Amino acid sequence: MKGWVSKSRILFLLSSLMLVLTGCGRSNLTALQPKGEGADVIFDLMMLSVIIMVFVGVVVMAIYFFVLIRFRQKKDQEDFIPKQTEGNQFLEVLWTVIPILLLVILAVPTVQKTFMLADTTPSEENKEDAITIEVTGKQYWWHYNYNGQKIQTSQDLYIPTGERVYLKLNASDVIHSYWVPTISGKMDTNPGENTNEMFLHAYEEGVYYGKCAELCGPSHSLMDFKVIAVSPEEFDQWVSDMQNVDTDATPESDSAQRGKELFTEKSCIGCHAVGAGGGASTGPNLTNFGDRAKLVGYKENTKENLVTWLLDPEKFKPGNKMTGKYGNGDPVNPISEKEASQIADYLLQLQPSEITPEDAKSTDSDSEEEK
Amino acid sequence: MSTATAQKQGFGATLWDYLTTVDHKKIAILYLVSGGIFFLAGGLEALLIRIQLMVPDNNFVSSGMYNQLITMHGTTMIFLAAMPFIFALMNIAVPLQIGARDVAFPFLNSLGFWLFFFGGVLLNLSWFTGAPDAGWTAYAPLSTTSPGHGMDFYVLGLQISGAGTLIGGINFLVTIINMRAPGMTYMRMPLFTWTALVTSVLILFAFPALTVGLFLMMFDRLFGAGFFDPTMGGNHVIWEHLFWIFGHPEVYILVLPIFGLFSDIISTFSKKRLFGYSAMVFATVLIGFLGFMVWAHHMFTTGLGPIANSIFAIATMAIAVPTGIKIFNWLFTMWGGVIRMTAAMLWTVAFIPSFTLGGFTGVMLAAAAADFQYHDTYFVVAHFHYVIVGGVVFGVFAGLHYWWPKMFGKILDEKLGKLAFWPFFIGFHLTFFIQHFLGLMGMPRRYWVFHSGDGLDLGNLISTIGAFFMTLGTLIFLYNVIITSIKGEKASADPWDARTLEWSIPSPPPFYNFKQTPLVRGLDPLWVEKRQGNGKMTPAEPLGDIHMPNNSFIPFMISLGSFVMGYGLIYQVDDSRWLFVAIAGLLITLGSMFVRSVKDDLGYHIHKEDLEEKGAGSE
């Protein structure tokens, strides 16, 4: 159904239908300016349904207003008894058949596209090259396992543009839902055996905002993530950088060195892995923490915020699973401010790759990111 | 035994009268008042939600409290406000519309109400210790692992009130099938009665699915079972199915009687016979039938696969056809008529475009592929509020204006009624229209905060402003109720020049409704008599003794026992001594049932002579 109406007409409809007031929202969050295959396909279907509905709406409203204006009781009509019509068979058939036809027009592409979006197995010829990523939703963050590349990471999902990247979705606690509106529709992540599949296919480079769309607890609205679409070359670079992380490297500054020691002493390492090869995944993998687009999904990734987070995670994510689990389990005062600062220095210098969210932005004319 | 005589009694006597009544007209009032109170509670919760979402990154309520608010708002509005409103309208109108003296099982009618009431009270008591917080849909495992007792209150509260609803549904089913006056064939029943019949059938088939789901969840939460726990070999998707097998028909349970009510109102205030009566009946039955075939459209993103998704998508789209038939028949009922724009008609006329818009987004949502974007966003929130507020709530307001004279013998002030309408109507569209766009702009539903810079600020602010307008409208309506009860104009038997049987007897009707069962000679029986006869119903029987049921306190006790048992079950998790409370509750319930079984309660007769004394007053 692509090209069913020209893009310019779609844009025209869009601008007239969608409230002038609000525009279309943030360009890397909205579903109304699709920049990926899934979102694009859905947008066309959405517009088709809107056009049909507007057509029906105009007919209904025309009759509605005509009736209300024309047949309102006039002053001399108080005792007037109108003709008691029983009905009209022709009309009944008419307003049964026409809606059925209109629905068929909508139903055919609906079924087509439903099957198209469910086609989540790579075709024979690029089976070797296709990227498949296991996505696991956890209260309140996302874990990624690039099987073919042997990379594990969290929160920021790096994908190459111009091809389908296949996701296998699961959850480890409650149901979440993985949604990147600008490039694709959403899919639930179920705990247990009900693994779901979808694909992401970004047309353009960019940092796309992702949201959890299934109520999952107090921090449901804070379970944001980013999909970072970079060019295939940049993606290959990122993969090789991540595969060759030197986890034993000594940080440059003294503070960061001390932070690295504290990371073990305060039992952070029990939940968080540093090194893309794997390790503990009770908490997010921190291998490229210094490159994160956002801290905890939605805060500026600054040292100040990170220290605040380390001292009291509840401030940023109520009901998170980290509170009280570190600093040897001391619930009151797990770590001192100084220690938090040193750990922060250590974490923020974890920048193993040349490829960062900045690279995805370089071709993105949108300047909202810089705000 | 009308309100007039009730006023002469002391407060205690009146209270006792209402606690024990089995009169459908008084039970209607009980449903109305308790539904109204829960509606205000749910509305207050909604207002707090909107205040929290007025500005980005707000901290007006905590995230934990927010989840409790959304859960209780949804649960309260559906189960404890909309349902009792529907039952209030059915109770006041159905027996009168079919020419019956009461429902088939007056005792069960009372039991149904008190079970609903105590279930609702139990649910709301959770506010003192932490309300349920897993959403009104209570998806497992979030609901089964939710800490505290909030979700236990949800499970037990809904189980008890659900039993009441089921009893009520069966009662109306039997009433409509068995208690129709001579000549009131199925195809002469007013549309409201027809829709009440279909809704009762839906209740009969839909609520057991909820009962089963809640039982499984109760075992998971209270007794450590693992029906919905994947780590124990359970499957949480079963809950989603059970919930929606109930949950989708529930939407039609709520909205169908409102469709019927609108049919009656439009016909009355256009002075015209309903256009395409048989098509309307057919559409009602078809919607009820299809309503059971579409539940999985709530689960397009659960991962059922493209085949299931396509089937449910097409089944869902099909519902648009009978709904469309209804909209067009309403429009053509007005066509060529003489439209009187009373407050009841104003709400009805406003319903048509509002509900139609909800229908449009319904078809859009049915497109399974596109639902991957809409699902669980504010687009869905906008859609179901258009259907439930634009349909059910508008309908309840219309119905109350229409039947208020029959319930209380006074006409709600028309000027104030229209004054309440406008802020509510404008506020409604202000609140919810913009939410379609918020959803598509990337705002999922049940979000405690949205971030500044996500482009969602203005839309949310507009939405919150709308909520205040709706509040204003509701307050004006409440003021109207109070002022009318103090100095309202007394209503005649037939203040609207209406068409159906309930308007052939005084407002409010005597407690036995019809002194003599009327003979029905056509569709819109009163209208027929007005045009072709002397304007009065012809009796179908000679004046004789009327058999009436006795009042009973037992329904209250049975329900109270369930309430106590529920409370005990919830807390026996902490301390097994609470089991004694549960058992005590169970004994109260069983004991009351035992008394009911062994004690003869044959009712009483109103004697012919007494009826004659009252003269023609009841005609």
Side-chain angles (χ1 to χ4, degrees), chain B residues 201-465:
Chain B
V201 175
L202 295 191
I203 289 175
L204 181 63
F205 287 103
F207 268 77
L210 178 70
T211 307
V212 170
L214 287 173
F215 260 117
L216 298 182
M217 187 170 281
M218 182 178 87
F219 278 105
D220 271 19
R221 281 198 61 95
L222 298 181
F223 306 112
F227 293 108
F228 304 133
D229 182 356
T231 59
M232 287 171 74
N235 194 332
H236 63 280
V237 180
I238 296 169
W239 166 263
E240 293 181 31
H241 281 293
L242 285 171
F243 185 84
W244 287 117
I245 287 172
F246 147 77
H248 196 80
E250 168 70 9
V251 179
Y252 297 104
I253 289 171
L254 296 177
V255 89
L256 281 179
I258 298 297
F259 283 175
L261 159 72
F262 284 138
S263 303
D264 288 5
I265 289 179
I266 287 177
S267 171
T268 296
F269 292 109
S270 306
K271 283 197 197 172
K272 263 189 74 197
R273 182 194 155 103
L274 187 67
F275 192 88
Y277 172 87
S278 42
M280 289 295 249
V281 170
F282 172 73
T284 306
V285 176
L286 193 61
I287 291 175
F289 178 75
L290 287 174
F292 278 100
M293 308 290 155
V294 298
W295 79 88
H297 69 216
H298 298 269
M299 299 166 62
F300 282 150
T301 66
T302 299
L304 302 178
I307 297 173
N309 280 3
S310 299
I311 292 170
F312 281 99
I314 290 168
T316 307
M317 286 180 189
I319 292 193
V321 176
T323 315
I325 292 175
K326 282 187 163 285
I327 300 273
F328 283 112
N329 277 306
W330 285 323
L331 291 176
F332 276 78
T333 304
M334 292 193 278
W335 188 293
V338 182
I339 301 171
R340 284 174 293 158
M341 208 54 89
T342 57
M345 189 62 173
L346 196 56
W347 285 106
T348 308
V349 161
F351 148 85
I352 292 179
S354 309
F355 188 85
T356 304
L357 202 55
F360 287 165
T361 50
V363 174
M364 291 173 73
L365 281 158
D371 184 67
F372 290 172
Q373 289 286 25
Y374 309 134
H375 184 80
D376 262 339
T377 68
Y378 263 78
F379 188 87
V380 175
V381 176
H383 160 73
F384 67 69
H385 282 95
Y386 261 86
V387 176
I388 293 183
V389 181
V392 181
V393 177
F394 281 24
V396 169
F397 279 124
L400 289 179
H401 272 284
Y402 185 59
W403 279 319
W404 202 266
K406 221 21 88 179
M407 290 181 94
F408 299 100
K410 288 177 173 180
I411 299 176
L412 277 176
D413 189 272
E414 282 285 305
K415 271 208 183 104
L416 279 173
K418 290 174 188 174
L419 196 66
F421 166 80
W422 285 108
F424 195 94
F425 178 74
I426 294 167
F428 161 70
H429 285 284
L430 217 49
T431 308
F432 296 112
F433 190 74
I434 195 91
Q435 290 184 357
H436 294 112
F437 301 96
L438 283 175
L440 294 174
M441 281 151 59
M443 182 156 168
R445 75 192 272 205
R446 294 163 168 174
Y447 258 33
W448 167 55
V449 289
F450 57 95
H451 306 305
S452 64
D454 279 0
L456 305 168
D457 305 19
L458 184 63
N460 274 298
L461 180 63
I462 292 172
S463 188
T464 301
I465 293 170

Side-chain angles (χ1 to χ4, degrees), chain A residues 17-19 21-26 29-32 38-43 45-47 49-50 53-54 56-61 63-64 66-68 71-74 77-88 91-92 95-97 99-100 103 106-107 109-111 113-115 117-118 139 173-175 177 179-194 196 209-224 298 316 318-319 368 371, chain B residues 57 63-64 67 70-71 133-135 137 139-142 145 230 235-237 240 270-277 279 300-307 309-310 313-314 317-321 324-329 331-332 334-341 345 349-353 356 359-361 363-364 366-377 433-434 437 439-456 458-459 462 497 499 524 527 531:
Chain A
L17 288 172
M18 309 290 157
L19 277 188
L21 279 172
T22 49
C24 296
R26 191 187 176 111
L29 175 62
T30 178
L32 297 173
D40 203 21
V41 163
I42 292 174
F43 187 78
L45 186 60
M46 212 186 279
M47 283 303 114
S49 61
V50 167
M53 292 306 135
V54 167
V56 178
V58 167
V59 173
V60 171
M61 284 300 105
I63 302 173
Y64 176 77
F66 174 76
V67 164
L68 283 188
F71 298 109
R72 197 81 193 258
Q73 178 174 300
K74 317 260 175 341
Q77 278 187 320
E78 305 221 331
D79 296 318
F80 174 72
I81 305 294
K83 189 165 174 271
Q84 302 291 308
T85 338
E86 287 197 10
N88 183 315
L91 284 176
E92 298 288 351
W95 58 57
T96 307
V97 172
I100 290 177
L103 287 175
L106 183 60
T110 295
V111 172
K113 288 172 181 195
T114 303
F115 275 87
L117 291 177
Q139 286 170 326
D173 33 47
V174 300
I175 311 170
S177 191
W179 188 33
V180 198
T182 313
I183 41 181
S184 171
K186 67 184 71 62
M187 192 53 90
D188 289 0
T189 67
N190 295 311
E193 289 161 12
N194 302 300
N196 281 336
Y209 278 34
K211 303 267 182 191
C212 175
E214 182 65 62
L215 180 63
C216 57
S219 283
H220 166 53
S221 59
L222 305 172
M223 199 172 152
D224 292 20
Y298 74 102
F316 290 165
E368 278 170 313
K371 260 203 316 209
Chain B
D57 300 304
S63 64
N67 284 353
I70 56 157
T71 305
D133 59 357
T137 52
Y139 274 17
L142 184 65
T145 55
N235 194 332
H236 63 280
V237 180
E240 293 181 31
S270 306
K271 283 197 197 172
K272 263 189 74 197
R273 182 194 155 103
L274 187 67
F275 192 88
Y277 172 87
F300 282 150
T301 66
T302 299
L304 302 178
I307 297 173
N309 280 3
S310 299
I314 290 168
M317 286 180 189
I319 292 193
V321 176
I325 292 175
K326 282 187 163 285
I327 300 273
F328 283 112
N329 277 306
L331 291 176
F332 276 78
M334 292 193 278
W335 188 293
V338 182
I339 301 171
R340 284 174 293 158
M341 208 54 89
M345 189 62 173
V349 161
F351 148 85
I352 292 179
T356 304
F360 287 165
T361 50
V363 174
M364 291 173 73
D371 184 67
F372 290 172
Q373 289 286 25
Y374 309 134
H375 184 80
D376 262 339
T377 68
F433 190 74
I434 195 91
F437 301 96
L440 294 174
M441 281 151 59
M443 182 156 168
R445 75 192 272 205
R446 294 163 168 174
Y447 258 33
W448 167 55
V449 289
F450 57 95
H451 306 305
S452 64
D454 279 0
L456 305 168
L458 184 63
I462 292 172
D497 190 13
R499 315 169 71 87
D524 296 340
W527 183 262
R531 295 298 138 220

